[in-house]
Amino acid sequence: IKREMVVNIAELGEEHLVNAAKTSMSSKILGKEEDFFAKLAVNAVKSVKMTATAADVAGYEAMGGTAADAMAKSGKERYKYPLSAIHILKAHGKSSLESHLIDGGFAINAMRAAQGMPTFVEGQDGQPVKIAMLDINLQRHRMGMGVQIIVKDPAEIENIKKREMDITKERIRKIIDAGARVVLTTKGVDDL
């Protein structure tokens, strides 16, 4: 029975995978869009395919012997599909049929600091886009709590405010000079 009825997964065509996805997702919620979502799910899983290491195949040597021996005995290249690498971003107010897979890219559900900022950035002349991922504040620098400054001349207050602004501008200049075209920060951004 095993020789005649068992089929290797690698030999199955995409239609079998789509049918399996349809079966596992069958519900009244998807209804007539089941073909669309089944293909989307299959493509998403295929996009995270990676070659399994010897340790993955051997189950971290749980069977006795070394992990390398397990790979050598099977003689086959094995693959794994880390489902934790697939993320779903939800956009309210959109049609479910507007869903799409970002293959080979990355989607971030974040807000722009200002309406004038672009929503899409492409590399120039085949060069990739440099992204700065920061955990610093790009708002106007302010003196820390508990810092006391004794000012005798009111003009010095204006100089202090100007220097606070210059500190932020210096940070931004360094980011631009590094070639970053996209800045993602966990803190705030001021419109300078």
Side-chain angles (χ1 to χ4, degrees):
I1 292 176
K2 185 177 180 182
R3 230 180 308 122
E4 299 297 324
M5 306 242 352
V6 174
V7 177
N8 190 343
I9 294 173
E11 296 171 12
L12 294 176
E14 185 159 331
E15 73 178 67
H16 296 289
L17 297 173
V18 170
N19 287 336
K22 280 186 202 176
T23 301
S24 65
M25 292 190 303
S26 63
S27 72
K28 294 177 183 172
I29 296 170
L30 295 178
K32 60 186 175 209
E33 289 100 21
E34 71 178 358
D35 288 329
F36 173 77
F37 284 105
K39 288 177 186 170
L40 190 69
V42 168
N43 291 336
V45 171
K46 282 181 165 184
S47 72
V48 297
K49 176 181 177 180
M50 58 179 23
T51 304
T53 64
D56 293 328
V57 174
Y60 298 103
E61 302 176 1
M63 304 302 234
T66 66
D69 291 340
M71 286 291 284
K73 284 179 189 173
S74 69
K76 298 177 190 172
E77 191 169 23
R78 304 254 180 169
Y79 300 99
K80 64 180 183 176
Y81 300 84
L83 299 181
S84 61
I86 300 171
H87 300 280
I88 298 171
L89 296 178
K90 298 173 186 167
H92 298 286
K94 299 270 187 171
S95 165
S96 61
L97 290 176
E98 290 182 63
S99 301
H100 61 278
L101 174 68
I102 297 179
D103 196 18
F106 201 84
I108 299 171
N109 193 13
M111 298 186 61
R112 296 177 290 160
Q115 290 296 318
M117 292 181 171
T119 57
F120 185 83
V121 178
E122 281 189 277
Q124 296 171 339
D125 301 325
Q127 296 295 319
V129 176
K130 289 187 179 181
I131 301 172
M133 302 177 97
L134 308 173
D135 190 24
I136 62 171
N137 204 352
L138 293 177
Q139 293 175 324
R140 195 184 87 191
H141 182 78
R142 291 179 178 81
M143 297 303 255
M145 294 293 289
V147 175
Q148 291 183 342
I149 299 175
I150 300 172
V151 178
K152 295 181 181 175
D153 183 13
E156 287 183 45
I157 294 175
E158 202 57 43
N159 289 337
I160 292 170
K161 287 182 180 179
K162 184 178 183 321
R163 180 62 191 141
E164 287 177 344
M165 188 82 76
D166 288 343
I167 290 171
T168 304
K169 287 181 181 178
E170 288 169 10
R171 288 179 178 169
I172 293 170
R173 177 55 44 204
K174 287 180 182 179
I175 294 167
I176 293 170
D177 290 344
R181 294 197 46 223
V182 176
V183 176
L184 304 174
T185 181
T186 58
K187 311 288 188 208
V189 178
D190 264 349
D191 189 14
L192 300 177

